[in-house]
């Protein structure tokens, strides 16, 4: 019998179980479906009393659980390396996204490593919100049998550096768990630090696991728990593919306050594949004038030889391709102050609040240009940190565009200190990379921002460049002939200047691919109107969609918009659902846990 034909009358499953099974199997490819079939058959035999000799042994063996809480994929990458290193020592390991981890299993864990990133103002990444609330909530269990370690990834540009990791570490200890290894809190250039911590932590975990009976057997893991259902490429953050820019088109009006570009990149020959909801990592080259200004401020020519990450290259090449000259961060000030013997910068480095205020409108290059000093080429390189790729939500579906990937890029541009400043990657893509030229890219899979099966309704809230993944969603559903309804809320300052993808969206609306399109152009009337206002105005219908099983998605600014939208949703649940404030909060937590409420925010 085909799954789509199942019903509560034709099977021993409830209607709710049938829906869950449909949603689950929709995401799996043929190989994974075959695996699931065998896995379920084996479980049925075991439940019926059949003997499966290996199963009890696998359950009894001590297992190291590695959870990752990732916002941009870095924590997932580090956790995967910990898993591989542990297995090379003969340890049984379970690697899992913290978003899909069953919190009731925590009380049964014996050995645990958490790799956690931190988002925004010290908040957990979206994938970890439910686990975080559980750990700090009333239902959190005492954990006297648990032994753990925590690795934190963060960015010292932000005030609450690695706060999620330190919160996890302190709370696990407060619940009675034993800290086996001190936490590491690592900045964006985390590679060596993560590897060193990994080896030191496993040196502590390994003998305890082996003493507890752990062997090389691995627990049976759900096939989609640690990665995307799509195929994986040889290319990643450490080994990006070389692709080609094919289209750079401005999609805001000449008189708009925003410069937004529609970017198309050819993936031909790379083998890169992606799913709607994924992001594209883009490496960029620093602007020649930025490099020249730094060289002039330090009295260097650029021809000097320097050492960086184990290789020798010219200073010019290092500043152009390898080092961060745009995004400013506190450690630059402290390091540069020391090598330049600059007393003013040294004083700033000792005052965290003053330092952040100083850096607020500066790029890394500004710090050096405004504080010229004769230092060596190596001292300059050692003061700067490695450039990090920028991640952009993918704005296309391969079902429609084939071997291409589309991005919606808001160009960072502002005037300061007598010159125009451009964002690193956005300026590179918009101003310095010509069509036909090469760009290094990789796909960052995001299994926590996925479409449901194609008969499920979806609500999408994406103002500004937050429209990007929803363009991909609509392309995917259009090409699949999806029957599920689609409702998009989009906002920007002006209708005539900033209506991104207007013709496409109106065509989707005309053809019925979009069921509803609600727009909020905030500056087109005396009183500003935002997407959360449109959402509130349609509250009764929004609540009806949620009650009918709709999945809810938010993409865009996480510091203000996403929080305002969430408050609007809580208001809708209370006003139209009759829920108390506490019940409304629990309702959306349940949606989040069931992957019916997903965010891609930045």
């Amino acid at each position: 019998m085909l799954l789509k034909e199942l019903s509560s009358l034709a099977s021993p499953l409830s209607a709710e179980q049938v829906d869950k099974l449909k949603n689950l199997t929709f995401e799996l490819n043929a190989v994974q479906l075959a695996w699931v079939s065998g896995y379920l058959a084996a479980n049925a035999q075991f439940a019926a009393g059949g003997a499966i000799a290996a199963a009890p042994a696998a359950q009894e063996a001590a297992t190291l659980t590695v959870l990752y809480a990732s916002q941009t994929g870095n924590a997932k990458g580090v956790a995967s390396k910990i898993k591989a290193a542990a297995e090379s020592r003969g340890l049984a390991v379970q690697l899992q996204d913290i978003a899909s981890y069953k919190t009731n299993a925590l009380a049964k864990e014996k050995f645990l490593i958490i790799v956690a990133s931190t988002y925004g103002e010290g908040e957990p990444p979206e994938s970890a919100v439910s686990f975080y609330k559980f750990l700090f909530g009333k239902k959190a269990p005492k954990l006297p049998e648990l032994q753990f370690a925590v690795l934190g990834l963060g960015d010292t540009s932000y005030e609450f550096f690695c706060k999620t990791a330190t919160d996890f570490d302190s709370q696990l200890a407060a619940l009675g768990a034993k800290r086996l290894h001190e936490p590491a809190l690592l900045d964006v250039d985390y590679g060596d630090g993560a590897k060193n911590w990994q080896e030191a932590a496993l040196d502590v975990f390994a003998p305890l696991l082996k003493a507890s009976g752990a062997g090389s057997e691995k627990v049976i893991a759900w096939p989609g728990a640690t990665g995307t259902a799509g195929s994986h490429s040889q290319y990643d953050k450490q080994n990006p593919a070389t692709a080609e820019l094919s289209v750079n088109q401005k999609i805001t009006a000449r008189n708009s306050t925003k410069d937004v570009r529609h970017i198309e990149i050819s993936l031909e020959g790379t083998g890169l594949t992606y799913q709607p909801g994924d992001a594209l990592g883009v490496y960029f080259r620093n602007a020649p004038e930025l490099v020249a200004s730094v060289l002039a401020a330090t009295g260097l020519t650029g021809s000097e030889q320097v050492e960086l990450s184990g290789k020798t290259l010219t200073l010019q090449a290092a500043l152009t391709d390898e080092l961060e000259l745009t995004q400013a961060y506190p450690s630059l000030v402290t390091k540069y102050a020391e090598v330049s013997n600059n007393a003013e910068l040294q004083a700033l480095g000792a005052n965290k609040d003053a330092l952040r205020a100083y850096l607020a409108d500066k790029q890394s290059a500004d710090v050096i240009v405004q504080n010229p000093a004769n230092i060596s080429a190596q001292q300059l390189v050692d003061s700067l940190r490695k450039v990090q790729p920028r991640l952009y939500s993918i704005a296309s579906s391969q079902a429609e565009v084939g071997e291409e990937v589309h991005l919606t890029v808001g160009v960072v541009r502002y005037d300061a200190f007598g010159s125009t400043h451009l964002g690193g990657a956005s300026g590179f893509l918009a101003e310095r990379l010509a069509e036909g030229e090469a760009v290094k890219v990789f796909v960052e899979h995001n299994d926590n921002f996925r479409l449901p099966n194609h008969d499920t309704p979806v609500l999408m809230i994406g103002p500004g460049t937050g429209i990007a993944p929803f363009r991909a969603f609509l392309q995917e559903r259009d090409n699949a002939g999806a029957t599920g309804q689609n409702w998009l809320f989009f906002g920007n300052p002006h209708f005539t200047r900033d209506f991104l993808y207007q013709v496409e969206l109106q065509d989707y609306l005309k053809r019925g691919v979009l069921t509803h399109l609600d727009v909020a152009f905030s500056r087109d009337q005396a009183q500003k109107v935002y997407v959360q206002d449109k959402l509130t105005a349609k509250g009764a219908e929004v609540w009806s969609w949620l009650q009918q099983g709709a999945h809810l998605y938010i993409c865009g600014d996480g510091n203000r918009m996403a929080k305002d939208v969430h408050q609007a949703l809580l208001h809708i649940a209370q006003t139209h659902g009759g829920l108390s404030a506490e019940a409304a909060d629990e309702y959306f937590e349940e949606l989040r846990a069931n992957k019916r409420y997903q965010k891609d925010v930045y």
Side-chain angles (χ1 to χ4, degrees):
M1 179 185 294
L2 293 176
L3 183 61
K4 66 181 181 181
E5 296 171 348
L6 280 174
S7 70
S8 58
L9 295 177
S11 79
L13 305 179
S14 68
E16 182 180 2
Q17 288 172 322
V18 169
D19 287 340
K20 288 181 178 179
L21 189 57
K22 285 182 180 179
N23 288 335
L24 179 62
T25 55
F26 173 79
E27 301 175 356
L28 305 181
N29 60 31
V31 173
Q32 292 169 326
L33 285 169
W35 188 95
V36 170
S37 177
Y39 175 78
L40 294 177
N43 273 271
Q45 180 183 352
F46 186 74
I52 303 175
Q59 292 299 318
E60 291 168 6
T63 301
L64 172 62
T65 296
V66 181
L67 300 179
Y68 60 86
S70 195
Q71 186 74 22
T72 62
N74 291 335
K76 178 181 177 181
V78 170
S80 298
K81 290 181 178 179
I82 293 174
K83 175 180 183 286
E87 288 177 342
S88 71
R89 297 182 182 220
L91 305 178
V93 187
Q94 174 181 263
L95 174 66
Q96 198 166 358
D97 185 343
I98 205 166
S100 57
Y101 182 73
K102 300 298 183 184
T103 52
N104 59 9
L106 184 61
K108 302 173 186 177
E109 297 285 2
K110 303 297 183 185
F111 301 97
L112 175 68
I113 289 177
I114 297 180
V115 183
S117 62
T118 295
Y119 163 76
E121 301 301 315
E123 300 160 6
E126 182 61 26
S127 63
V129 170
S130 293
F131 181 86
Y132 187 94
K133 289 187 175 182
F134 167 78
L135 200 65
F136 283 85
K138 297 178 181 179
K139 295 182 180 180
K142 296 298 181 183
L143 302 169
E145 302 299 319
L146 179 66
Q147 301 182 81
F148 75 95
V150 176
L151 172 61
L153 302 181
D155 185 339
T156 52
S157 302
Y158 293 90
E159 182 176 358
F160 301 100
F161 175 63
C162 285
K163 185 177 184 298
T164 299
T166 57
D167 286 351
F168 281 156
D169 178 78
S170 60
Q171 184 64 2
L172 288 172
L175 292 171
K178 179 181 179 182
R179 184 185 296 107
L180 277 187
H181 191 62
E182 288 301 310
L185 307 179
L186 305 179
D187 204 353
V188 293
D189 192 9
Y190 57 81
D192 291 341
K195 184 177 180 181
N196 293 337
W197 184 91
Q198 162 192 297
E199 294 306 312
L202 291 178
D203 283 345
V204 180
F205 275 92
L208 296 173
L209 278 156
K210 289 179 178 178
S212 299
S216 59
E217 305 91 347
K218 300 171 197 173
V219 292
I220 295 175
W222 181 247
T226 62
T228 178
S231 60
H232 288 270
S233 167
Q234 62 177 310
Y235 299 109
D236 56 20
K237 181 180 179 181
Q238 287 69 41
N239 179 38
T242 299
E244 181 182 293
L245 177 68
S246 52
V247 173
N248 170 8
Q249 178 184 1
K250 187 176 181 182
I251 55 174
T252 45
R254 184 177 303 175
N255 59 345
S256 172
T257 57
K258 297 185 175 186
D259 181 354
V260 178
R261 305 297 177 99
H262 173 72
I263 299 292
E264 296 183 9
I265 295 172
S266 171
L267 301 178
E268 186 175 357
T270 66
L272 286 175
T273 61
Y274 58 87
Q275 298 181 62
D278 288 340
L280 190 76
V282 177
Y283 280 96
F284 60 93
R285 309 185 79 198
N286 286 312
E289 57 270 24
L290 211 58
V291 173
S293 68
V294 170
L295 290 174
T298 52
L300 298 165
T301 67
S303 61
E304 298 86 354
Q305 297 288 303
V306 295
E307 296 290 326
L308 181 62
S309 301
K311 61 182 180 181
T312 302
L313 67 168
T314 68
L315 177 60
Q316 180 87 30
L319 291 173
T320 301
D321 296 315
E322 305 287 344
L323 296 168
E324 181 65 74
L325 295 184
T326 49
Q327 191 178 67
Y329 48 96
S331 63
L332 166 63
V333 175
T334 55
K335 289 179 180 180
Y336 186 72
E338 181 179 353
V339 298
S340 64
N341 197 28
N342 186 310
E344 185 178 347
L345 289 182
Q346 288 172 348
L348 274 173
N351 185 327
K352 186 171 71 171
D353 292 337
L355 178 57
R356 294 195 179 280
Y358 170 76
L359 292 175
D361 58 352
K362 290 181 175 64
Q363 293 186 332
S364 296
D366 292 324
V367 175
I368 298 168
V369 170
Q370 293 174 17
N371 297 277
N374 290 320
I375 62 175
S376 73
Q378 193 62 51
Q379 285 176 319
L380 175 59
V381 167
D382 292 342
S383 298
L384 295 163
R385 71 183 183 190
K386 289 270 291 180
V387 71
Q388 297 298 305
R390 306 306 198 245
L391 291 177
Y392 293 98
S393 299
I394 291 175
S396 56
S397 162
Q398 285 195 292
E400 178 154 323
V401 304
E403 289 187 302
E404 293 180 5
V405 61
H406 298 179
L407 307 176
T408 309
V409 177
V411 182
V412 176
R413 180 186 285 107
Y414 64 98
D415 293 326
F417 317 116
S419 66
T420 298
H421 289 48
L422 285 171
S426 64
F428 175 69
L429 290 170
E431 303 287 345
R432 301 194 298 278
L433 187 67
E435 292 180 356
E437 290 187 339
V439 56
K440 293 181 178 180
V441 300
F442 63 94
V443 172
E444 188 63 60
H445 296 290
N446 184 2
D447 294 326
N448 295 307
F449 203 76
R450 290 281 185 250
L451 277 167
N453 62 44
H454 284 323
D455 59 5
T456 299
V458 298
L459 283 156
M460 302 167 284
I461 305 162
T465 56
I467 187 67
F470 303 135
R471 181 175 184 262
F473 280 16
L474 291 168
Q475 287 185 357
E476 181 81 1
R477 291 199 131 189
D478 185 28
N479 279 270
T483 58
Q485 293 184 308
N486 305 295
W487 189 351
L488 174 65
F489 288 83
F490 172 74
N492 240 348
H494 297 283
F495 172 83
T496 58
R497 306 176 195 174
D498 310 303
F499 197 163
L500 307 183
Y501 302 114
Q502 177 183 357
V503 174
E504 291 182 20
L505 295 177
Q506 289 177 332
D507 178 62
Y508 282 138
L509 192 62
K510 180 180 179 181
R511 294 193 291 112
V513 177
L514 260 178
T515 313
H516 300 296
L517 174 61
D518 280 81
V519 293
F521 294 104
S522 58
R523 306 303 196 274
D524 279 350
Q525 57 282 311
Q527 184 175 357
K528 294 177 181 177
V529 177
Y530 298 103
V531 287
Q532 60 266 27
D533 301 315
K534 292 288 185 175
L535 199 65
T536 301
K538 296 291 181 72
E541 192 172 358
V542 168
W543 182 251
S544 176
W545 274 50
L546 292 174
Q547 294 304 104
Q548 294 171 42
H551 284 224
L552 177 64
Y553 301 88
I554 301 173
C555 182
D557 168 47
N559 289 325
R560 295 187 61 182
M561 180 277 296
K563 293 177 181 178
D564 291 341
V565 166
H566 183 72
Q567 290 303 312
L569 291 169
L570 292 174
H571 175 75
I572 287 170
Q574 294 173 62
T575 303
H576 301 283
L579 303 183
S580 66
E582 183 178 0
D585 189 62
E586 290 177 355
Y587 174 79
F588 285 105
E589 278 306 307
E590 184 177 349
L591 289 191
R592 191 198 307 269
N594 292 328
K595 294 198 172 183
R596 284 185 53 202
Y597 183 19
Q598 301 180 39
K599 299 178 186 178
D600 178 11
V601 294
Y602 39 84

